[in-house]
Amino acid sequence: MDSQIIGFTDWFRTPPGEYLLAWERERFDQAVADMFGYHALQLGLPELDALRANRMPHKWLALQGADGASIAAAPPPGDSSVATVGDAASSPRVALLTEPAALPFPENSLDLVLLPHTLELSSDPHTTLREVERVLVPEGRVVISGLNPASLWGLRQRRAHFYRRLGYGELFLPEAGEFIGYWRLRDWLRLLSFEVESGQFGCYRPAVSSRVSLERFAWMDKIGARSWPIFGALYFLVAVKRVRGMRLLEPAWKTQKAKASAPVAIANQVRRSGVFSISSETRNLDPDT
């Protein structure tokens, strides 16, 4: 692999890139299949159609400026005539170009936002997350995937950076962007009032470039998920936007049934036409006493 062409678009065409992309595609399909709403946005990674299994009526793919360099034209959001990314073989249809830290959507307008490797490529990932929180409706979801720096692949990448400072060696993972740790990302989400609904790791095979070698170590995916689950090359999580103090209103037809009123009985006596009935204890007494 030539160290001069390392980037996400080129890297996903390599055997390890295809291996990771296949795992991500399966995770996204499973996660978004049962998410309902009206508006969904995928931000970045045109090589992956992460919304293909979702059934929302309005779905968009938004690219950053660098990702959309090969786009011929970008019509406004909602336009059915959209351009395609000419350089991405399996690219979904592209709707708009935008900056992740300044999304062109009003507050509380999107039900679902997907961030496949978006935070890694963002110049300010925390601001990007804050912007996602702004455009999501209460109880809306964000789905994030990223490369795990605490993995065999991350260790090889750090070693490659060290060798490059010495003047030799080449990188294994894409050079662009900064990889964000899973637990660090969870802390960011918690600060923005997100609640992590689910999280998982995947891709436990060694950091090798050959397709034959990757297939030879396929057995490590099952063992790694059981033996060292947090050291997968990729992480994948789903978080929900929570709004404190918010109470979901029930439909108007769900009215509370009125409780039937009943007379309160007086213990051991009932008034009948001005005459009191005497309790059984009193009735057994001698009337002359």
Side-chain angles (χ1 to χ4, degrees):
M1 186 188 307
D2 188 353
S3 61
Q4 300 300 319
I5 64 168
I6 288 189
F8 271 91
T9 299
D10 296 311
W11 187 80
F12 276 122
R13 295 174 180 148
T14 66
E18 293 174 354
Y19 163 55
L20 263 64
L21 200 62
W23 186 86
E24 285 186 89
R25 183 176 290 110
E26 185 178 353
R27 299 287 86 72
F28 275 105
D29 287 348
Q30 293 175 357
V32 306
D34 296 326
M35 292 182 182
F36 300 100
Y38 297 96
H39 305 95
L41 174 71
Q42 176 183 338
L43 185 56
L45 195 61
E47 294 82 6
L48 174 66
D49 188 358
L51 286 169
R52 66 178 184 178
N54 186 262
R55 289 169 282 180
M56 293 188 190
H58 307 291
K59 298 182 289 187
W60 298 289
L61 168 67
L63 298 184
Q64 303 180 51
D67 294 335
S70 59
I71 298 179
D79 195 337
S80 59
S81 59
V82 290
T84 56
V85 180
D87 209 22
S90 58
S91 171
R93 298 166 68 82
V94 179
L96 68 152
L97 295 176
T98 183
E99 287 298 326
L103 297 176
F105 296 95
E107 295 183 6
N108 305 325
S109 60
L110 299 180
D111 301 282
L112 173 63
V113 176
L114 308 184
L115 302 177
H117 300 281
T118 308
L119 298 178
E120 297 166 349
L121 297 175
S122 175
S123 58
D124 192 345
H126 196 272
T127 302
T128 299
L129 273 181
R130 189 181 295 114
E131 185 70 359
V132 170
E133 189 274 338
R134 181 187 69 83
V135 301
L136 276 176
V137 300
E139 304 301 312
R141 285 171 169 78
V142 57
V143 185
I144 305 171
S145 66
L147 291 163
N148 181 19
S151 63
L152 294 176
W153 296 41
L155 290 175
R156 174 167 175 174
Q157 184 77 350
R158 285 197 293 271
R159 185 185 65 179
H161 276 296
F162 175 75
Y163 287 159
R164 288 189 71 182
R165 286 196 294 267
L166 299 179
Y168 62 95
E170 62 182 35
L171 298 177
F172 177 71
L173 295 174
E175 184 176 11
E178 178 184 356
F179 304 147
I180 302 169
Y182 176 78
W183 301 108
R184 180 186 178 193
L185 179 58
R186 286 180 66 108
D187 289 339
W188 289 359
L189 292 169
R190 190 180 300 111
L191 290 173
L192 293 172
S193 300
F194 281 101
E195 179 182 324
V196 177
E197 203 172 48
S198 64
Q200 62 183 124
F201 294 82
C203 300
Y204 297 93
R205 305 180 195 183
V208 292
S209 302
S210 168
R211 190 184 307 275
V212 176
S213 299
L214 283 171
E215 293 298 329
R216 184 182 302 127
F217 290 102
W219 55 272
M220 292 186 66
D221 284 332
K222 293 183 179 180
I223 294 181
R226 296 194 306 264
S227 303
W228 53 90
I230 65 173
F231 297 115
L234 277 173
Y235 59 78
F236 182 91
L237 62 83
V238 180
V240 185
K241 176 183 175 180
R242 302 296 190 192
V243 178
R244 295 182 180 180
M246 184 194 70
R247 183 173 65 88
L248 295 178
L249 298 177
E250 296 182 350
W253 52 267
K254 284 190 176 180
T255 56
Q256 195 174 23
K257 293 183 178 179
K259 295 182 179 179
S261 59
V264 179
I266 302 176
N268 295 329
Q269 58 182 359
V270 179
R271 182 183 294 274
R272 293 181 181 176
S273 303
V275 181
F276 288 95
S277 63
I278 305 175
S279 63
S280 58
E281 291 82 358
T282 307
R283 194 178 295 117
N284 292 332
L285 297 176
D286 187 352
D288 297 331
T289 58

